[in-house]
Amino acid sequence: MSERIQQLCVELSLNAVATHYANLADEAAHKERSFVEYLEQVLDVEAALRAERSREVLRRLAGFPSVKTIEQFDFEAGAGAPKARIQELTGLAFVERRENVILLGPSGTGKTHLAIALGVKATERGYKVRFITAADLVIQLEKARREHRFDQYLKRAILGPSLLILDEIGYLPLKKDQSDLFFQVVAKRYEHGSVILTSNLSFGDWETTFDGNAALTSAMLDRLLHHAHVLQIRGDSYRLRQARQSGLIGPKPSKQEINGANQVGQ
Ligand code: ADP
Ligand code: MG
């Protein structure tokens, strides 16, 4: 009989049932569970396995550079990240409401970490997520256009995910043409789905990244900020702080020392 069960499980792709039905049957006999209770247990293990698989697939498809979680985030370090607001975002109502999250702050303060952590949470909830740096996005947009599949790319990669994470706006200045492409992404996503965006630049400096185009930058910010949670993260680089604490590098220079160095450089 068990051979027949194994065979049917293969045919019906019931992997967890194949693994657990016998143990659960023994347990059910021992604990005098009803047939209906047993069936429910067997179906439960199958459902749990499938849910885990689909979370894994979603996480892989998201293209996270590494997996980071909110639990790993140290809110005490430098106290630079607004804890209550970030914890509220982990509820993911913003994804449901198609709102944006903008994480601003200096390099190394955990913007990418938080963006990934929110993204991972979203995949666990079954949302389709896509993580991409602004620089890679522009490369992909240019490639798609060159290969005459720009509209397809927009539809699949830009409109497809429920949550689009655009990392590192402002690290690389974009040329005019690239700025236009980037604008199209923001315009397409506007009121269509959530975007999480990270940048080391304050809004006033965004223009410098978009080829000095003030009109384009303000039209873009207008759309991004319409339904947005803007979080300013303060403080020093987490990595530098850790290196300093472990004595790998010297203490942070004082303001006077920095000013002194500037004067020498002038
Ligand atoms: P940013 O994107 O702001 O430049 P990252 O998110 O890449 O910074 O952070 C740099 C590194 O430091 C990452 O490995 C990240 O996990 C870690 N990190 C930054 N801030 C924190 C924090 N508050 N708690 C734990 N790890 C942190
Ligand atoms: Mg980053």
Side-chain angles (χ1 to χ4, degrees):
M1 188 176 83
S2 78
E3 237 171 68
R4 176 77 181 131
I5 292 176
Q6 291 294 351
Q7 186 191 343
L8 283 168
C9 285
V10 170
E11 270 174 38
L12 298 169
S13 304
L14 297 170
N15 295 323
V17 174
T19 315
H20 296 288
Y21 84 93
N23 286 342
L24 287 173
D26 286 346
E27 197 185 296
H30 188 66
K31 297 199 172 158
E32 297 181 14
R33 291 201 176 109
S34 71
F35 293 125
V36 171
E37 280 171 333
Y38 171 66
L39 179 62
E40 185 179 328
Q41 281 197 314
V42 169
L43 293 176
D44 268 344
V45 291
E46 186 63 39
L49 178 77
R50 290 189 185 195
E52 179 51 33
R53 289 246 173 95
S54 82
R55 280 196 291 270
E56 261 172 44
V57 169
L58 283 172
R59 210 180 305 147
R60 216 174 38 236
L61 289 177
F64 298 123
S66 56
V67 172
K68 303 271 179 184
T69 64
I70 294 285
E71 291 72 31
Q72 289 164 351
F73 195 82
D74 176 6
F75 285 97
E76 308 308 317
K83 184 173 179 180
R85 295 190 66 202
I86 290 164
Q87 272 170 346
E88 194 200 322
L89 292 173
T90 62
L92 300 179
F94 77 97
V95 179
E96 205 51 55
R97 294 201 287 251
R98 303 174 182 197
E99 294 162 352
N100 300 330
V101 173
I102 303 182
L103 298 164
L104 300 176
S107 178
T109 49
K111 301 181 297 297
T112 301
H113 183 132
L114 290 169
I116 295 173
L118 290 171
V120 169
K121 273 256 177 316
T123 60
E124 283 167 2
R125 225 31 112 64
Y127 288 113
K128 213 170 146 192
V129 177
R130 179 88 184 102
F131 178 104
I132 189 164
T133 63
D136 283 346
L137 173 70
V138 168
I139 290 172
Q140 291 200 5
L141 289 164
E142 287 179 319
K143 185 160 179 278
R145 194 176 48 180
R146 234 179 8 253
E147 294 170 358
H148 307 291
R149 47 178 188 82
F150 188 70
D151 288 346
Q152 251 167 288
Y153 180 81
L154 279 186
K155 206 164 156 205
R156 186 180 50 80
I158 304 304
L159 294 181
S162 303
L163 174 61
L164 180 67
I165 304 176
L166 302 178
D167 196 29
E168 299 186 346
I169 312 292
Y171 274 117
L172 288 179
L174 303 180
K175 300 194 185 83
K176 176 179 184 312
D177 201 36
Q178 296 173 324
S179 303
D180 290 342
L181 287 175
F182 193 89
F183 177 80
Q184 287 200 50
V185 169
V186 172
K188 280 275 171 200
R189 285 295 292 192
Y190 178 59
E191 295 193 334
H192 171 90
S194 286
V195 181
I196 297 181
L197 221 135
T198 81
S199 181
N200 59 323
L201 298 179
S202 54
F203 293 129
D205 293 327
W206 276 35
E207 204 179 303
T208 57
T209 280
F210 297 103
D211 193 46
N213 189 337
L216 176 136
T217 307
S218 75
M220 187 158 66
L221 284 175
D222 212 41
R223 285 164 176 77
L224 283 173
L225 296 174
H226 188 191
H227 310 281
H229 306 260
V230 180
L231 278 72
Q232 179 73 51
I233 305 179
R234 295 175 204 287
D236 303 327
S237 158
Y238 186 78
R239 276 183 293 236
L240 282 182
R241 200 164 43 224
Q242 286 208 319
R244 238 174 241 128
Q245 274 166 9
S246 59
L248 287 175
I249 54 173
K252 190 178 166 185
S254 69
K255 276 220 170 73
Q256 276 161 340
E257 282 171 309
I258 293 172
N259 289 339
N262 284 345
Q263 274 153 17
V264 171
Q266 274 164 6

